[in-house]
């Protein structure tokens, strides 16, 4: 299967873009360019949905913080001296341990899907940013059953808890707003995946493979 053989809806393109945006915000502190992008977002002031309020909040936050502030905040939250305030890994949120069975299962699924680990990436594959990057690719390139299966197996049981935990971290200022956006988005994703459950048969994730060269995990 290639991207050219799949018809992509406007909604799915938007979903893939939001996964990539959240991945960029969680992979490292935002650059000046990313803050400028967020600052320039066009938000519908007549829409009072949770997503629109979250977009408005992150647009405002992007005007109030500079990269140097966010470097310190990101370090305190996700890196720290020894460990940050939150461990952004699926295994931790699923089992309370790092490098646990969920990571092994994830690596099996990534191999079946044709994803290759970028040798420059030091974090395990269950880093939340890497999972979001995979979801973005699956939405655009893979059959619907694969994004549904991947979400259920590797994200659905803990991702709302991740956002709630992030929002309560002592160092979270800008990232409390990121958590607001992430939570609002995944509330809409829950509805999206409920729709997919009704319309899409869930099959083995190895049934259709993506070309691996196009899908190296995060640079």
């Amino acid at each position: 299967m290639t991207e050219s053989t799949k018809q992509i809806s406007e909604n799915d393109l938007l979903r893939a873009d939001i996964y990539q945006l959240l991945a960029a915000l969680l992979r490292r502190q935002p650059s000046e360019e990313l803050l400028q992008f967020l600052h320039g977002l066009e938000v519908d002031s007549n829409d009072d949905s949770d997503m629109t309020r979250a977009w408005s909040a992150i647009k405002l936050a992007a005007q109030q913080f500079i990269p140097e502030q966010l470097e310190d905040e990101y370090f305190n939250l996700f890196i720290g001296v020894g460990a940050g305030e939150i461990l952004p890994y699926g295994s931790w949120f699923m089992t309370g341990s790092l490098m646990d069975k969920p990571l092994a299962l994830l690596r099996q699924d990534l191999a079946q899907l044709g994803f290759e680990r970028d040798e420059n990436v030091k974090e395990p594959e269950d880093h939340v940013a890497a999972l979001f990057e995979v979801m973005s690719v699956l939405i655009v390139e893979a059959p619907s059953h694969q994004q549904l299966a991947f979400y259920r197996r590797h994200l659905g049981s803990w991702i709302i808890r991740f956002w709630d935990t992030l929002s309560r971290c002592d160092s979270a200022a800008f990232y409390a707003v990121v958590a607001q956006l992430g939570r609002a988005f995944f509330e809409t994703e829950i509805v999206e995946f409920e729709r997919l459950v009704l319309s899409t048969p869930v099959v083995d994730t190895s049934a259709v493979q993506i070309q691996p060269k196009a899908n190296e995990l995060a640079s």
Side-chain angles (χ1 to χ4, degrees):
M1 185 202 70
T2 64
E3 184 177 351
S4 62
T5 64
K6 181 181 178 182
Q7 297 297 316
I8 310 299
S9 69
E10 184 176 343
N11 179 62
D12 280 351
L13 287 174
L14 177 60
R15 291 174 59 223
D17 285 347
I18 295 173
Y19 273 107
Q20 285 288 355
L21 173 62
L22 292 172
L25 290 167
L26 292 167
R27 176 67 70 183
R28 58 185 61 86
Q29 70 273 8
S31 64
E32 181 65 37
E33 291 75 18
L34 182 51
L35 290 176
Q36 287 296 324
F37 169 79
L38 295 172
H39 185 183
L41 289 171
E42 295 183 7
V43 180
D44 184 0
S45 60
N46 295 318
D47 184 353
D48 193 39
S49 68
D50 289 344
M51 261 314 274
T52 299
R53 288 195 294 271
W55 284 125
S56 296
I58 203 162
K59 177 176 181 173
L60 179 62
Q63 302 173 35
Q64 298 174 331
F65 291 86
I66 61 175
E68 290 75 15
Q69 291 173 301
L70 296 180
E71 183 177 5
D72 290 340
E73 182 176 337
Y74 186 91
F75 178 86
N76 291 332
L77 285 170
F78 301 110
I79 302 173
V81 178
E85 294 179 40
I86 183 171
L87 295 173
Y89 302 100
S91 288
W92 177 261
F93 276 87
M94 296 172 78
T95 68
S97 300
L98 296 175
M99 309 293 287
D100 210 332
K101 182 178 180 180
L103 178 58
L105 295 174
L106 172 64
R107 285 171 172 166
Q108 292 175 11
D109 286 351
L110 291 174
Q112 289 179 335
L113 289 166
F115 287 89
E116 293 181 346
R117 179 184 175 91
D118 189 318
E119 62 183 14
N120 295 318
V121 175
K122 306 305 181 185
E123 298 89 356
E125 294 89 335
D126 63 341
H127 190 287
V128 65
L131 296 175
F132 290 173
E133 289 159 356
V134 172
M135 281 299 303
S136 180
V137 173
L138 293 179
I139 289 168
V140 173
E141 298 188 14
S144 296
H145 72 265
Q146 288 192 335
Q147 60 169 290
L148 174 59
F150 190 89
Y151 170 83
R152 282 176 150 183
R153 189 167 171 116
H154 302 296
L155 279 166
S157 67
W158 60 272
I159 191 60
I160 295 294
R161 185 157 43 93
F162 168 79
W163 297 121
D164 290 344
T165 302
L166 177 58
S167 70
R168 295 192 298 266
C169 288
D170 291 340
S171 297
F174 177 84
Y175 275 92
V177 183
V178 174
Q180 178 186 352
L181 177 64
R183 197 184 203 288
F185 173 62
F186 274 91
E187 291 289 353
T188 68
E189 283 292 271
I190 289 170
V191 176
E192 179 68 23
F193 287 117
E194 287 174 348
R195 182 189 65 78
L196 282 178
V197 167
L198 295 176
S199 62
T200 306
V202 179
V203 300
D204 187 348
T205 58
S206 64
V208 180
Q209 292 196 0
I210 303 172
Q211 296 301 315
K213 290 184 179 178
N215 299 305
E216 288 189 351
L217 292 181
S219 58

